[in-house]
Amino acid sequence: MREKIYVHVADDHKILIEGIMAVINTDEEIEVRDYSLTGQEVIDWFDNNENKADVLILDITMPVLDGFEVLKYFKKNKINQKVIILSSYDDVKIVQEVLNLGCKGYISKNNAGVHIVKAIKAVAKGQQYFSDDIQGILLQSLSGEMVPQGEMPDKFLLDSLTERELDVLKLITKQYSTAEMADFLNLSVNTVETYRKSLLKKLNVKNAVGLAMYAVKNNIV
Amino acid sequence: MREKIYVHVADDHKILIEGIMAVINTDEEIEVRDYSLTGQEVIDWFDNNENKADVLILDITMPVLDGFEVLKYFKKNKINQKVIILSSYDDVKIVQEVLNLGCKGYISKNNAGVHIVKAIKAVAKGQQYFSDDIQGILLQSLSGEMVPQGEMPDKFLLDSLTERELDVLKLITKQYSTAEMADFLNLSVNTVETYRKSLLKKLNVKNAVGLAMYAVKNNIV
DNA sequence: ATAGTACTCACTGAAAACAGTGAGAAGGTT
DNA sequence: AACCTTCTCACTGTTTTCAGTGAGTACTAT
C-alpha cells in the first residue's frame, strides 16, 4: 500500500481552502492535514508540529506574513519544504521571484481545479509543476522588452465627453460590439454608432483600439 | 415539502465555485443550478434560460464584464434579481455602490463559509444579509473613516506568443491597421491577418480592443 | 425667443476586421 | 527520418467599423 501525501494549505480566504479540500479529497492518495490563514500561522505550524506536510499549498497575498516571507523563512532556515504557489498574480516577476526562493510549483487560481492534484503528485515526487498559463508566461518572459511611458492625461478632452459617450467608451473597452452596446443600453445601433464616431473625433484617434488606450491612460477603466 | 432555492454562482475562479458548491450542497433546501465564469456569461444565462435562479452569487472582479456591469444590466432592464455579492473587496465605496445597484447581500470571501447558506436563505426570503465584517465596515463608514484597499489584477489564460505575434500586437496598440502593419513589417496583408487571428485565439479575446487591453495589462506597451 | 448642447435615430457607402481553411518553406528536436 | 513550431501567404465570405450627412426632440442658458 502506497503512502499518503500530506498537504498543508495556506490561504487567507477560508472559502478557497474549502474548495481546495473538496477537490483534493476526491483523490485517495492525498490528504489535507491542516491549514493556515496567515503566513505567521504557517511558520508556527511548521515550527511546532511533528507531523510535517509533504507539500505546502501557499497563497502569495496573506495578512500578517505573505507567501514571500514564508518562502524566505524556509530558505533562511534551510528547510527543504516542497511548496506550490497558488496565486491570482500571473506576473512574470512574481513567478521568477518565488522560483528563486525555492518553490517547486506555481498554479494560477484561474484553473487550479484541473491542476492542483497533478501538481501535488508531481511535486511530492520531487518534480516541478506549472499550470499551462504560467508556463506561457515564463516562455514569454524570455523574449521580453521594456518600454517606459510618460504622458499627461488630457483633462480637457476627458471633460468634453458626455455621459452617453462615456457609457459607450467603457463598453468598448470591454469588447462590446456596436450591436451589443445598443442592446445593453437600449439604444438604436445607429445611435451607438453616432457616439462611437463622436468619440473618435473628439479624442482624435483612428479606431476602437485608440479609444481603449485613451480610456486606460485616463483611468476610465 | 418546502420548495428548493435555486442558486446561480458567478466567479472567474473555478476553484472558488467548487468551494461554494461544496458548502452549499450540504444544505438540502438549496441547490446550485448553474455557474458562470464571466459577467457576460451571467447575462447570457439570464437572457437565454427559462430556469432562472432565485439567488445569484456574484463576484465583483471578473473578465469580460465585472459584477458592477451585471448589476447595472439588471437595473437597466428592470430585472428584479436577488443578488449576493461575494467579494474580496471590503471597501466602503464598493459596498455602497453595489447596494445602490440593488444587490441584497454582501459577503466577504474571508468568511464566506459560515455566512453563505444563511445569506442565501435570508435573501431568498426577501431580506437583506451582510457578513459581520461588512456590517462593521458599513457602521464604521457612518463615523467617517476611509481605509484604502489594495488591488487584485485579474489576468487570464495566456499561451506563449511568438515574436511576430508580439510585433503585430504592439502595432495594434498603436492603432495600425492590418495594411499599415503589413507595410511596416514588409509582410503580406494575409500574413498579418493570420497573426491577428492567432492572437485573438491565443489570448481568448474577441477583437482588437481585447488585444490592446491585454497588452496593457501585461505591460507589453 | 434664440442659441447651444445633449440625446436620439436613419441612410449610404467604403474600409477594415473577423472567421475558416489550406499549405509550403525553414529551422530545430528526438 | 519524422516531427514540431514558426513564419509565410492565399482565397472566400461575413460581420463590424468607420465616414459623412441630415434631422427631430428636449432642456438650458442668454
Side-chain angles (χ1 to χ4, degrees), chain B:
Chain B
M1 178 177 166
R2 183 194 283 256
E3 264 194 46
K4 277 212 176 191
I5 301 169
Y6 290 106
V7 174
H8 187 103
V9 183
D11 193 297
D12 57 328
H13 294 318
K14 189 96 185 290
I15 186 78
L16 203 141
I17 290 178
E18 285 160 350
I20 292 170
M21 283 179 163
V23 174
I24 288 179
N25 286 336
T26 59
D27 194 292
E28 285 182 351
E29 283 181 45
I30 309 173
E31 182 180 319
V32 177
R33 180 162 268 171
D34 208 347
Y35 65 87
S36 302
L37 297 171
T38 69
Q40 188 63 60
E41 278 183 36
V42 177
I43 292 176
D44 290 343
W45 194 88
F46 277 84
D47 267 350
N48 306 319
N49 213 304
E50 285 303 311
N51 308 318
K52 310 288 188 192
D54 298 307
V55 178
L56 168 64
I57 312 284
L58 184 65
D59 187 21
I60 293 286
T61 53
M62 285 185 292
V64 188
L65 275 183
D66 64 22
F68 291 121
E69 298 297 337
V70 174
L71 288 172
K72 284 177 193 165
Y73 172 83
F74 286 142
K75 192 171 189 182
K76 188 134 227 157
N77 294 76
K78 300 191 178 15
I79 300 172
N80 193 22
Q81 176 64 45
K82 288 162 183 162
V83 179
I84 297 172
I85 296 293
L86 182 66
S87 173
S88 312
Y89 298 98
D90 301 340
D91 187 51
V92 195
K93 284 183 205 157
I94 290 177
V95 177
Q96 287 176 336
E97 183 166 354
V98 295
L99 286 179
N100 282 335
L101 288 169
C103 101
K104 298 300 179 195
Y106 197 113
I107 302 179
S108 162
K109 278 184 185 173
N110 295 312
N111 47 12
V114 294
H115 284 290
I116 190 88
V117 169
K118 275 194 282 183
I120 291 170
K121 289 183 179 176
V123 171
K125 275 190 283 187
Q127 302 166 357
Q128 284 199 327
Y129 191 97
F130 304 97
S131 58
D132 38 28
D133 51 347
I134 298 298
Q135 283 178 34
I137 285 167
L138 285 172
L139 289 175
Q140 182 192 299
S141 75
L142 296 177
S143 58
E145 236 186 296
M146 298 300 285
V147 184
Q149 205 71 15
E151 265 191 57
M152 291 277 285
D154 57 355
K155 297 167 183 173
F156 36 100
L157 288 178
L158 165 81
D159 292 333
S160 75
L161 303 182
T162 68
E163 277 305 308
R164 278 310 206 191
E165 285 163 354
L166 271 177
D167 288 342
V168 169
L169 179 55
K170 286 173 188 170
L171 292 177
I172 284 175
T173 65
K174 294 182 199 293
Q175 304 179 57
Y176 276 56
S177 72
T178 299
E180 289 166 342
M181 287 188 270
D183 190 55
F184 186 85
L185 298 170
N186 279 113
L187 291 175
S188 150
V189 169
N190 292 308
T191 305
V192 179
E193 280 281 5
T194 301
Y195 292 132
R196 189 192 279 269
K197 281 175 280 190
S198 174
L199 283 166
L200 290 177
K201 200 165 188 179
K202 279 189 177 179
L203 303 183
N204 195 31
V205 295
K206 61 175 284 193
N207 56 31
V209 171
L211 296 178
M213 300 302 279
Y214 175 90
V216 170
K217 267 193 211 156
N218 292 275
N219 297 314
I220 292 173
V221 284

Side-chain angles (χ1 to χ4, degrees), chain A residues 168-178 181 193 195-197 199-201 203-216 221, chain B residues 172-177 196 206-213 216:
Chain A
V168 169
L169 179 54
K170 285 176 190 169
L171 292 177
I172 284 175
T173 66
K174 293 180 194 296
Q175 303 178 57
Y176 273 57
S177 72
T178 300
M181 287 187 271
E193 279 283 2
Y195 292 131
R196 183 179 222 125
K197 281 174 281 191
L199 283 166
L200 291 176
K201 199 166 188 179
L203 303 183
N204 195 32
V205 295
K206 61 175 285 193
N207 56 31
V209 170
L211 296 177
M213 300 302 277
Y214 176 89
V216 169
V221 290
Chain B
I172 284 175
T173 65
K174 294 182 199 293
Q175 304 179 57
Y176 276 56
S177 72
R196 189 192 279 269
K206 61 175 284 193
N207 56 31
V209 171
L211 296 178
M213 300 302 279
V216 170

Side-chain angles (χ1 to χ4, degrees), chain A residues 162 164 188 190-191 194-195:
Chain A
T162 69
R164 277 311 207 190
S188 148
N190 292 308
T191 304
T194 301
Y195 292 131

